[in-house]
Structure formats: structure tokens, C-alpha cells
Amino acid sequence: MSAMPATTPIETVDREPSVRGLPGLRGTGIVGHVCAAILALAVLIAIVGPLLAPYSATEISLSNSFVGPTGDHYLGFTGQGADLLSLLLLGARSSILGPLIVVVAAMVLGVVVAIISAWRGGIVDQVLSVIMDVLFAFPGILLAILAAAVFGASLQTAAIALAIAYAPYIARVLRAAAIRERSREYIAALEVQGFSAWLICLRHLVPNISGLIVAQGTILFGYAMVDLAAISYIGLGVQPPQPDWGVMVAQGQSGVLQGYPAESLAAGLCIIIVVVAVNLLGERLNARSQGSAR
Amino acid sequence: MLIGTLLVSSFVIYSALYLAPGNPIATLTGGRTPSPEAVRILEERYHLNDPFLVRYWDWLTGVLHGDFGVSIPLRQDVSTLIAERIGITLGLVVYAAIIILILGIGAGILAALRPGLIDSSVIVASTISAALPSFIAAIVLLLVFSVQLGWFPAFGPGEAGLDRIYHLTLPAIALALASLAIVSRVTRACVREELRREHVQTATSRGIPRHLVIRRHVLRNAAIPITTVAGLTIASLIALSAVVERAFALNGLGAYLIQAALSKDFAVVQGIALVLVVAFVVTNTVIDILYALLDPRVKLGERAS
Amino acid sequence: MSGLVELDGLEVDLRVGGSMRPVLSGTTLQIGRGEAVGLVGESGSGKSMTARSIARLLPEGAEVRGSIRFDGTEVTSLRGADLRAYRRRIAMVFQDPRAHVNPVRSIGDFLTEELRTNEGVPRAEAERRAIELLDVVGIPDGARRLRQYPHELSGGLLQRVMIASALLSEPELLLADEPTTALDVTTQSDVMALLDELRRERGLAMLFITHDLELAGAVCDRTAVMYAGQIVEEQAADALYTDPLHPYTAALVAARPDIDATAARLAAIPGRPLSAFEAPPGCAFADRCPFSEDRCESERPALMPIAAGSSRCLRAEELRGRLHLTVSDV
């Protein structure tokens, strides 16, 4: 998806009663805290999922194909006869940590480009802008397909491709914020005192736009998760038998047509829950960072 | 600007795949070790020994004349392969765009003008559909409307004509859902915003009937941001159509691109990727032009940002 | 004098957050045919709300009590076609022309919209009349201006366009809400002179809202002074200086910078202006008034006729003639 609302300012978040809460989430309301809790749980499962999963992904027996929930198998079996709950727990790792890597990479790229553009201005800014403009011509999914064709389909390839495709959007938003910040007097004061540009950027400029960076990163996570799952779904991301929610939606599709939708729906629901939580939280963080910028 | 972006994009597409590891001769001979004579003939036929820039130039001028080269594994013209499939992708994207424009903008306007029950239901519906990624929406639609209710076919593009529209309905909805939500929410916010404007009061104070105030002032002005957002959202469907085509086993461009990427059929990947990028860039340019036409404060050529 | 507009005990509450908040609490005012009435007061005193009530342009959810009569017809209960027919008989010139003219429609569209929509005048005829009026308001080359867009015109020109559009529909009442405040000082007087001249020529009644006492005195027949959602004094415009009837008016006069004055500093009114919703049970001005007595705190004064005007002060009679002199010494 390339029409990213992250860059369109028109968003309506209704004001909610302010609750005292965690400092990082201040001003995001009850919804923000609930979403953050869901995300924390998801990340925890992504990390320790393999320890929780009662069965392994390869423990399959076709005789269990599409068998419903039983005593030891709370969610029943997939079409290939694997334990569904275990697959979901195991699949959380690539489904959540994958997008996380995309976001971190895209943010680092975006922030570096934005700061260099804003700091140097002039020809450097123009050259970077042109490069970004060309990248804008490649929607994330298309770039991932191209990357898969060149380097072979894998989670790493897809993640790198998405990070490169997202970076221009992040860079554009942050560049504007960095230029505003750059023109503040305190930056000039630091320059006069002889601090190096890198030190000023790292110690002052970046921390001062960190609210926006966090908000944009959160919103981006939702997009990365959906796009990465879609790429795995079409077979160009995570490769089976490695468990992954996007792969599970694809593998369960034959079951859907035979009237056994459990695998596809369960994996789809996991994706939706995380994406909704991350989007709601992102909207609130974004509204907050824009509120404080005014 | 447009031409420049397209040229650079075409270069990126071509060179990326040119530099890809892998040997076309091996693909052609199916893994057997060919005689040096056979290798020479093949290299000559597919111009494998020409310098890179010459091959890029040949490819580019070929593309401009409608010749996208030859698929080495299939030994077929890429142009023919594209022509056979472009109709389905175009149909799918246009169908989804129509759904988005009519339902999304319609629901947004309705929600903005009719606070209360209609407004709340539009918000609830858009919140749900915004959270549905296209491929999951596809699964749910397949389950409900194909498997359980049996109203729509599960797979395939059908015959051209009405049957095609019937077959493309579920895919188009799956493709449109998330964008529908974005467009209706933005429309609602823009119309609301415009309703509060002072110039709308001026029109009201002159005794202009409400429906004319809404049409000439509120909707006319809200159309500027709505066009931009709706346009960008629709442009994003071009790449996303690949996923939906895959979900519904439609043999459009996107599904074929995926298949070609998996089988390393580079000529096809280059051709289809270029077509999709051109479509995406041209759509974005059309949006910029529309923006300038709608807003007298913007001159053509200035970037709408 | 036959009253064209008669406000009687007008009370308006606006919805703020979840509660209703009064902005006008008992405004009574008459405007005769062809008469210019000034409405002065500090920000938040309810001047604009009075004009908006007359034009029926209050925000959604506003509650209106009391009566507004225009040419004998009750305005507050008008609906649909009757409301639109009434609105054609009044015209409004707003403070900020930039915000009040649709930025994406041409000047020609703006000027002729009402004639074409409401009176069915053909476009060519409407444009001819618009060009004529543009000339009257001092904009030559009207034909070219009609094709231009608001962002191509300066604020002063745009306000002239707004005045032309107000006159184009040949209204009987002009509501001018600080029409020059948003303009450059140099264009202010030009636009004001133009408005005054055109109004007199055409025999238009006008409600002129300003915070500039002097300006009101120059262009109006009578001036009403508003404080905290009420009219506290009303009389002939030129008498306001020499013979203020309410301590608040006297304070306004004293606070006005005067080139001739030898006073070392301007007399500021102590305290801050109140809004209608903050008004105490007694006189709203009592806590800022140098003449307030105990009864001023508890007893709400009514607008009583005195001399050639009226005043909402319990001590108006006894203070008469002393106000003008004393306030500046406070």
C-alpha cells in the first residue's frame, strides 16, 4: 500500500478523557493503553512463542487433517494435520518481528535521509529528493516482487525491499519536521558554540522530533505487517514449512473452499488484531505529536 | 519530470534484473550441458553478449514500439503475454475504483451531512473494513459468498462481458475494502471541515438554498482534498491487485508477475513491472493535474503537497 | 420613526461543550429605515452575535428567546423559503473578506450567484450589473476582475467586492461586522468612506459593528454600547462623547487615544471585560465601575430612557453630566 495516511494530515481522533498512565503513552487515552498492552503481549509471544507451543510445526499427520478441537489440541488441526494453536504461536515470530525489522530499517533510512536533507539543504537535498521521487514510483509490494525475482523469495529479501519502499514516505514527513526544528534558534546557538553537526543532530534535533518519529514508526508497523503478510501469502516472503501467519492464510485457503476455514481465519484474525491495535495506537501518538508541535 | 521518473524507473527495473544471479543459457537448455556451438547460437539469438547499455537501449526502444522481448522459458513474446492478461487487471482495478469512488465518497458525504445514526454506522463500518487486509478480506468473502451462500464463483475470471463483471465482483470488493474505509473517513472529515467555513456562511446569509450551498460551496471545495486522497488510494491498488489476483486465481498481470518472479522469467518480470510502474506514475500525475484543475490557487507544474 | 428592525429582549445561548452558555442576555434595539446604528463594545460583548442573530447565522444548537422583527415580521421563527426570502432583504459585510469569499470560485461567480440563483437573472445581465457596481465601489476594469479568483486580489479590493456583492441584491438592511478591521490602515478609511457614501445614496439601513467609538460617531446616526451581552447605553452618536449616560461609555471615551490630549497616559479601564455568561446578579459593570454602590452589586438595572437616549445604570440620573469629567481622573 502506498497511499499512506501517515502523510495525509486529515485524521479525526476524538478526544478522550485523559488518564494518567505510562509516560510514553501519556495523552493516548485508555484505548492507547489497551492497544499498547495488546502489542506488548504480541511481541512477548513472538519472542517466547516456541517455548509455549505444545507441538512443533513439523509434527504432522494427514490423518488429523481438519480435525476440530480436541482435549490436547485446543484449536484443532490444520489441513496438513499440524496443531493449529502451535502454528499460531510459532508463526508469531516472523509475523511480528519481520515487520519490526522493516520498521527499524525504514526509520533509520528515513531519519538519516531527512536529517541530511534538512541539514545540508541545497544540492544534497535536491539529489536526495530526486532519488526519493524515483522510489515513490515503486509501490512496496511491487518492489518486494522484483526483489524476490532477483534475490530469491525469502523473509529477508521482502523485509529489505519494503524498508526501502517505505523510507521515502518517512523521509518526507520527517524532513519537513527537521527543517522546522533546524530553523530554531537553539540549533544556531549550538552551531555558534562549535558543536559538530552530527552531535547536534544526535543530541538535540533527533530527540526533539522523537515524538513524530515514534508516531510514524507505529503507523508504519501496521502497513509493514499487512504488506509483509501479503507477500508471504503470495509465496514470495516466508517460505513454508517455516510457520507464519501470512503463509497460514494461504495454506488454509484450500480448507476454506472445503468448508474448513479455521486455519486461514485464525491466522487472519491474529494479523487483524495486531494491526488494529497498532493503528489505533499510532493515530493517537500521531495526534499527540502534532498537538505538541503547535 | 514524468518522463524522467519513467526513464529512471525503467532503468532500475532493467538493470536490477540484469544484475541478478543466474544464467539464462542454463534456463534455456534445461540444465543439460549444451555444446559450445549451441551456446553461441543462443547467445546470438537473445543478444546475450551485447554490452549492458546496448541491451537496455534495445529493450527500451523495443518497449516504446510495443515489443517487450521474449520470455526465454516460454519462448513467447512478452507483449502477447501481457496483452492477454492486462484486461483482467484493468477490469479489476477499475471495478474497485468505481466501488471506492461511489461508496466511499457517498458514505463519507452522507455521514458528514447526517450526524447521528447514519454517521455512526458509517464510522463503525469504515473502522471494520479499514482493518481488513485485502487477502484476508478475500478469504472471508470466499467463505461467506462462495462457499456458504454460493452466490459468487470462487475462482477464475469468467467469460468476457457480464460474466466477467460477475466473476470480478468479489475480487474487486476485496481489493476495495480497506481503501473504501480511508476514502470515506477522509471525505467525512473534509466535508465537515468545509461546512464550518466562513464562506459557506456568506452563501447561506445570501439566501442561497441549502442544497445549492452544499453542492457549489461545500462539496466543490471538499472535492480538492478528496480527489487527492481517493486518487492516491486508487493508485495503490495497481500493485495490490497482484495479491487479490493470486487469492482468486485470476490470471491477470499481477498474478503472472508473481509466477514469473518465482520461475525467474526475467523478461516477463521486467515487462510487467514496467507496465505497473508506468500505470502507477501516470495515475499519480493525473491526480496532480486534477488537483491543479480543481484548485485555482495551484498552478500546473507546482507540486501539490 | 418607523422601525425596520426591532430587537426585543433578545437572549441567545450557545452550546459550549455540553452546556448552554448565554452570549446575549436581553438585547433591545431598534433600527429605523435608512438609519445607521453603530454597535460598539469590547471583544466578546455580543456585538457580532447580535448581527448574526438578525441574519439567522447562529451556530448550530443555539437557543434564541425574545423577538427580532423585520418590517413587522417575526424573524426568529422563519423557515425554508420564507427564511431565504428574508435573507435576500438583508446583506452582510464580514470582517475578513479572505475567509468569507469562496477561494475556489471566481469573483464573477461570487458577485452574481445570488442574482442568478434567487432572482433568475440571466448570467450576462447579472455580470453587466456586477461590472457596473464594481465601478461604483472603485474597481475599474470589472470585466477582467470577474474572471479573477480571490487570491489574486488584495484584502482591500476583496472587501470592495464584498460591499459590491452586498449592494447588488438591493437589500434594505446592511449588517457590517467590523468591515475594515482586517484591512491596512490606509485602505481602512477609503473602504469606510465608500461604505458610508453608498449607504446614504441608497437610503440603506445599517447596523455597523465596531470597537472604534469615533468611527461609529462619524458614520452613524445613533450608537449603542454593548457590555456583557446587553446594551448599556444608546443615544445619538455625537452626544456619546460629550454626554455619556453610562459609566462604561465614559470609560471607553476616556480610554480612547486622543492626539490633542495632554494626559501623560491613557486611562485604562481596570479589570477585564466580562462575557454574558459570567455576569453577576447585579450590574455587569459594577466591579469595574468607579461609581458602583452596594445596590449595584445586587440589583440588575434595566435599560431606562434618559435625556435623548437610554442607559442601563441605576445612578444614571444623578451621575449625568459628571461622568465625562470624572472618569478620566480615576
Side-chain angles (χ1 to χ4, degrees):
Chain A
M1 286 205 197
S2 10
M4 301 187 48
T7 58
T8 45
I10 312 142
E11 196 49 69
T12 47
V13 177
D14 294 323
R15 192 165 289 174
E16 284 161 40
S18 59
V19 284
R20 288 231 311 256
L22 300 172
L25 296 170
R26 191 166 292 143
T28 60
I30 296 167
V31 176
H33 282 75
V34 171
C35 291
I38 292 174
L39 292 179
L41 186 68
V43 172
L44 190 72
I45 292 175
I47 295 168
V48 303
L51 301 175
L52 299 175
Y55 301 91
S56 91
T58 47
E59 243 175 277
I60 52 173
S61 133
L62 281 176
S63 61
N64 285 332
S65 180
F66 298 129
V67 169
T70 64
D72 295 339
H73 302 265
Y74 304 111
L75 293 180
F77 296 87
T78 68
Q80 291 169 328
D83 179 60
L84 182 49
L85 179 63
S86 302
L87 271 193
L88 288 176
L89 290 170
L90 294 166
R93 178 159 289 182
S94 60
S95 306
I96 289 168
L97 297 187
L100 206 58
I101 292 167
V102 173
V103 170
V104 171
M107 295 307 290
V108 169
L109 268 177
V111 169
V112 168
V113 169
I115 301 250
I116 292 177
S117 278
W119 196 269
R120 300 296 295 273
I123 187 85
V124 175
D125 185 20
Q126 278 171 14
V127 168
L128 285 173
S129 291
V130 168
I131 295 175
M132 294 293 136
D133 273 348
V134 171
L135 277 179
F136 272 123
F138 290 88
I141 289 190
L142 184 58
L143 204 61
I145 295 175
L146 282 178
V150 176
F151 302 106
S154 73
L155 177 62
Q156 289 84 342
T157 310
I160 293 168
L162 283 185
I164 292 173
Y166 292 155
Y169 292 90
I170 298 301
R172 185 162 67 176
V173 175
L174 293 183
R175 176 178 167 273
I179 286 176
R180 269 200 307 278
E181 203 63 30
R182 168 91 171 90
S183 62
R184 296 265 175 93
E185 304 227 328
Y186 78 93
I187 300 268
L190 289 167
E191 280 185 283
V192 170
Q193 290 170 49
F195 287 102
S196 79
W198 280 113
L199 200 70
I200 298 175
C201 287
L202 277 179
R203 285 258 187 85
H204 300 277
L205 211 156
V206 172
N208 277 331
I209 58 171
S210 63
L212 189 62
I213 293 177
V214 169
Q216 292 292 317
T218 311
I219 292 171
L220 190 64
F221 184 90
Y223 282 90
M225 178 137 182
V226 169
D227 281 354
L228 212 51
I231 291 163
S232 291
Y233 169 82
I234 60 179
L236 296 178
V238 176
Q239 296 299 308
Q242 194 192 333
D244 175 86
W245 293 344
V247 171
M248 286 173 74
V249 175
Q251 296 205 323
Q253 194 167 340
S254 60
V256 170
L257 297 171
Q258 296 166 48
Y260 300 102
E263 183 181 6
S264 282
L265 289 187
L269 199 62
C270 289
I271 296 172
I272 290 174
I273 290 172
V274 177
V275 169
V276 169
V278 91
N279 283 351
L280 289 175
L281 181 63
E283 273 177 21
R284 279 161 181 73
L285 288 173
N286 200 37
R288 187 186 70 173
S289 75
Q290 278 172 1
S292 66
R294 279 186 201 121
Chain B
M1 186 64 215
L2 173 65
I3 305 290
T5 308
L6 290 180
L7 264 181
V8 178
S9 309
S10 72
F11 185 78
V12 170
I13 292 170
Y14 189 85
S15 57
L17 292 162
Y18 178 85
L19 297 172
N23 181 359
I25 302 279
T27 317
L28 281 168
T29 55
R32 281 172 285 122
T33 315
S35 64
E37 180 66 6
V39 170
R40 201 186 53 78
I41 292 171
L42 286 173
E43 281 177 345
E44 204 150 283
R45 182 186 296 164
Y46 295 107
H47 304 285
L48 296 178
N49 281 344
D50 287 356
F52 168 66
L53 281 178
V54 171
R55 289 182 61 190
Y56 168 66
W57 180 251
D58 287 346
W59 178 71
L60 189 65
T61 46
V63 164
L64 292 176
H65 291 97
D67 173 14
F68 285 82
V70 177
S71 159
I72 291 181
L74 296 177
R75 294 172 181 78
Q76 252 189 304
D77 269 356
V78 176
S79 316
T80 320
L81 294 168
I82 289 178
E84 283 166 5
R85 289 165 173 85
I86 199 164
I88 289 169
T89 302
L90 195 67
L92 178 61
V93 172
V94 169
Y95 198 165
I98 291 171
I99 293 176
I100 290 169
L101 290 177
I102 294 178
L103 284 184
I105 295 179
I109 291 174
L110 218 59
L113 297 181
R114 299 253 186 289
L117 190 65
I118 292 182
D119 187 22
S120 320
S121 21
V122 168
I123 291 186
V124 169
S126 75
T127 307
I128 294 171
S129 70
L132 271 178
S134 56
F135 63 103
I136 299 177
I139 296 289
V140 174
L141 290 171
L142 273 175
L143 178 64
V144 175
F145 294 102
S146 294
V147 177
Q148 293 188 340
L149 297 172
W151 291 355
F152 288 95
F155 289 127
E159 302 296 316
L162 277 181
D163 189 47
R164 173 68 49 80
I165 294 177
Y166 176 56
H167 274 78
L168 286 183
T169 300
L170 286 188
I173 294 174
L175 186 56
L177 267 181
S179 311
L180 194 64
I182 296 175
V183 169
S184 71
R185 288 171 74 174
V186 168
T187 302
R188 174 178 172 274
C190 291
V191 173
R192 278 267 165 100
E193 170 111 9
E194 212 54 51
L195 272 172
R196 283 197 295 264
R197 286 282 153 83
E198 285 96 338
H199 68 78
V200 173
Q201 284 184 359
T202 312
T204 307
S205 80
R206 299 161 135 197
I208 307 286
R210 183 171 155 87
H211 68 275
L212 290 179
V213 174
I214 301 271
R215 201 175 72 205
R216 286 189 198 149
H217 298 283
V218 176
L219 297 185
R220 169 64 181 82
N221 291 39
I224 299 166
I226 293 172
T227 304
T228 307
V229 172
L232 290 176
T233 328
I234 289 170
S236 75
L237 301 184
I238 293 170
L240 204 59
S241 65
V243 177
V244 173
E245 285 173 13
R246 184 85 173 175
F248 287 93
L250 300 171
N251 53 343
L253 282 186
Y256 195 43
L257 174 66
I258 295 168
Q259 192 190 318
L262 284 168
S263 62
K264 308 245 168 207
D265 187 347
F266 289 166
V268 171
V269 173
Q270 282 166 340
I272 296 180
L274 185 68
V275 169
L276 295 184
V277 165
V278 168
F280 184 69
V281 172
V282 168
T283 310
N284 280 329
T285 309
V286 169
I287 297 162
D288 277 355
I289 293 171
L290 271 180
Y291 185 89
L293 288 179
L294 282 173
D295 192 340
R297 290 164 294 186
V298 178
K299 287 212 174 61
L300 256 183
E302 284 172 18
R303 259 205 105 76
S305 58
Chain C
M1 193 185 303
S2 71
L4 179 65
V5 184
E6 289 170 2
L7 307 187
D8 192 10
L10 184 65
E11 294 180 23
V12 173
D13 294 355
L14 294 187
R15 186 181 295 281
V16 179
S19 59
M20 300 304 286
R21 180 174 278 193
V23 289
L24 293 182
S25 43
T27 303
T28 301
L29 183 70
Q30 282 86 38
I31 305 171
R33 282 183 193 284
E35 185 188 29
V37 174
L39 196 55
V40 295
E42 290 161 291
S43 321
S45 60
K47 299 170 304 206
S48 286
M49 280 302 152
T50 306
R52 282 171 178 277
S53 305
I54 298 174
R56 288 282 304 272
L57 276 183
L58 292 171
E60 221 161 289
E63 258 175 44
V64 180
R65 291 176 301 276
S67 107
I68 303 171
R69 297 175 81 77
F70 181 87
D71 201 10
T73 315
E74 180 59 42
V75 168
T76 50
S77 55
L78 287 180
R79 292 176 62 85
D82 292 336
L83 176 60
R84 292 200 299 275
Y86 157 68
R87 277 175 170 156
R88 275 170 232 158
R89 299 176 64 187
I90 61 174
M92 200 153 175
V93 175
F94 295 92
Q95 176 174 348
D96 181 2
R98 192 69 68 203
H100 278 92
V101 179
N102 190 341
V104 308
R105 294 200 161 261
S106 68
I107 300 295
D109 254 19
F110 175 73
L111 282 170
T112 59
E113 183 180 25
E114 183 171 6
L115 285 180
R116 286 188 292 124
T117 314
N118 293 337
E119 285 158 45
V121 179
R123 178 181 279 273
E125 163 70 7
E127 288 191 347
R128 194 188 55 72
R129 280 160 68 178
I131 293 170
E132 238 175 59
L133 254 179
L134 281 180
D135 196 52
V136 170
V137 299
I139 304 180
D141 200 7
R144 184 173 67 88
R145 297 291 184 191
L146 291 190
R147 307 279 162 260
Q148 287 189 312
Y149 285 88
H151 69 278
E152 298 170 276
L153 269 60
S154 71
L157 273 185
L158 211 53
Q159 192 61 297
R160 285 168 192 263
V161 169
M162 179 94 94
I163 291 170
S165 106
L167 298 176
L168 204 53
S169 58
E170 294 170 353
E172 293 158 62
L173 172 70
L174 194 61
L175 299 166
D177 188 357
E178 309 210 24
T180 59
T181 313
L183 306 181
D184 290 342
V185 184
T186 45
T187 39
Q188 273 184 11
S189 53
D190 291 348
V191 170
M192 204 54 239
L194 177 76
L195 193 62
D196 187 40
E197 182 193 320
L198 292 174
R199 183 196 74 77
R200 284 177 203 278
E201 268 175 16
R202 281 150 211 257
L204 265 175
M206 174 166 79
L207 181 67
F208 179 67
I209 295 173
T210 177
H211 49 252
D212 187 340
L213 264 180
E214 210 159 357
L215 191 57
V219 299
C220 294
D221 304 310
R222 281 183 307 126
T223 302
V225 179
M226 279 199 95
Y227 188 78
Q230 290 182 326
I231 289 184
V232 294
E233 159 164 7
E234 190 227 298
Q235 64 166 322
D238 37 10
L240 222 52
Y241 293 98
T242 51
D243 186 15
L245 301 174
H246 192 281
Y248 177 62
T249 316
L252 277 183
V253 171
R256 176 182 54 94
D258 188 346
I259 291 175
D260 303 327
T262 49
R265 64 181 183 89
L266 290 172
I269 308 177
R272 72 179 174 89
L274 291 187
S275 294
F277 74 94
E278 303 168 306
C283 171
F285 189 58
D287 61 336
R288 300 172 75 190
C289 178
F291 306 102
S292 78
E293 298 176 338
D294 286 351
R295 61 180 176 134
C296 295
E297 309 270 346
S298 54
E299 211 178 306
R300 175 160 284 204
L303 191 62
M304 298 298 287
I306 170 173
S310 49
S311 166
R312 199 185 278 273
C313 176
L314 294 171
R315 304 182 63 194
E317 286 290 353
E318 55 175 302
L319 290 174
R320 177 131 194 252
R322 286 163 51 200
L323 283 171
H324 174 53
L325 303 169
T326 8
V327 168
S328 41
D329 304 329
V330 172

